[in-house]
Amino acid sequence: MKKYSLLGDLVIFSFIFLLFIIPPFFTAKISTSSPLFSAWNFPFNQFIFSIMASVLYFFYYDKQEKKLPFFPIIMTTSMLFCVALFIKFFSVLFVTNNISEDLQIVLPDSPKTWIFCLLNFAFAAFYEEVLYRFYFADKLQSLLAYKIKWKYLWIICEAIACLAFAFAHFYLGIFSVLNALFGHIILRVCYKKSGSIWTGFIAHFIYNVISLILL
């Protein structure tokens, strides 16, 4: 990841943290009165977020970071589904009143709504891969390293980023938090192996689309 002045990095990190990392923690929980997907329109919010993520990626991505650009997409996607199915099994086994009963989801019913659906998932996957897998943990470690000289600092930063992504899904219930936690670990390893967000983005996108259909 490219480095800029300490002041500039602090300002940008604070902006990202306050406006994009914190707000998802306060998202209203899904209910019958507040469904997850009830209609499919052009995803303006996700589009704006993806534009901002593109700017962030452009300024911080270092082409020299590439390690294994063709890290297996199928393996990453399969691991995401394996974790999701395992957690789903335990949620059905041990919880009688599951939040999934409140997930009112309307599948796209026309080419137009399918396009909007796919754009929604594409923008969201790109934005999350840039923010959580590419930027947050590495930049947090870089900033803290100015004052903290500890060889295990990276573990703390990775844990904070992982928890941030996991609890950004709290509005979907505790099992979604667990699913997001393990999903982050898988996608973060994918990013670290490839040095690029694109493998993780494709796997993330495929996972979201297929999950929607299976629900």
Side-chain angles (χ1 to χ4, degrees):
M1 180 178 288
K2 294 178 182 177
K3 294 183 179 180
Y4 296 94
S5 68
L6 176 59
L7 179 60
D9 279 341
L10 280 173
V11 170
I12 294 174
F13 185 85
S14 298
F15 175 82
I16 296 296
F17 185 79
L18 293 175
L19 294 184
F20 298 102
I21 300 294
I22 295 297
F25 296 163
F26 302 98
T27 302
K29 287 189 175 182
I30 296 299
S31 66
T32 53
S33 60
S34 178
L36 182 59
F37 295 120
S38 58
W40 294 100
N41 300 305
F42 185 83
F44 285 104
N45 288 342
Q46 288 84 350
F47 175 69
I48 294 172
F49 290 163
S50 66
I51 292 297
M52 299 184 72
S54 298
V55 174
L56 189 69
Y57 189 66
F58 174 80
F59 279 103
Y60 281 103
Y61 179 61
D62 186 354
K63 293 182 179 180
Q64 302 301 318
E65 290 183 344
K66 286 187 177 180
K67 301 174 183 177
L68 185 63
F70 299 107
F71 189 78
I73 295 174
I74 294 178
M75 182 175 71
T76 304
T77 308
S78 299
M79 291 176 67
L80 291 175
F81 276 109
C82 286
V83 168
L85 289 173
F86 187 76
I87 292 175
K88 179 66 175 179
F89 170 76
F90 276 92
S91 70
V92 172
L93 189 64
F94 295 110
V95 180
T96 57
N97 186 19
N98 196 290
I99 191 173
S100 62
E101 298 175 356
D102 296 328
L103 294 181
Q104 296 184 5
I105 299 175
V106 176
L107 287 174
D109 57 3
S110 68
K112 179 181 178 180
T113 54
W114 267 111
I115 290 173
F116 288 159
C117 169
L118 296 177
L119 287 175
N120 187 316
F121 288 141
F123 292 150
F126 177 75
Y127 156 71
E128 290 182 347
E129 290 308 305
V130 171
L131 184 64
Y132 292 102
R133 257 65 74 183
F134 166 72
Y135 177 77
F136 187 57
D138 289 340
K139 183 51 62 178
L140 178 62
Q141 180 183 352
S142 174
L143 292 172
L144 292 178
Y146 279 98
K147 292 294 184 180
I148 303 175
K149 306 299 181 183
W150 185 40
K151 64 179 181 179
Y152 297 114
L153 177 63
W154 69 273
I155 298 178
I156 302 299
C157 296
E158 293 288 351
I160 292 173
C162 184
L163 291 174
F165 181 72
F167 280 95
H169 294 76
F170 186 70
Y171 68 99
L172 292 172
I174 189 61
F175 287 105
S176 290
V177 171
L178 291 175
N179 185 45
L181 187 147
F182 288 106
H184 171 86
I185 294 172
I186 293 169
L187 291 167
R188 178 66 172 166
V189 170
C190 176
Y191 166 71
K192 283 297 187 180
K193 290 289 186 179
S194 65
S196 172
I197 64 167
W198 299 111
T199 301
F201 161 73
I202 295 172
H204 192 161
F205 173 73
I206 293 173
Y207 170 80
N208 284 347
V209 173
I210 296 180
S211 294
L212 172 70
I213 297 173
L214 292 178
L215 286 174

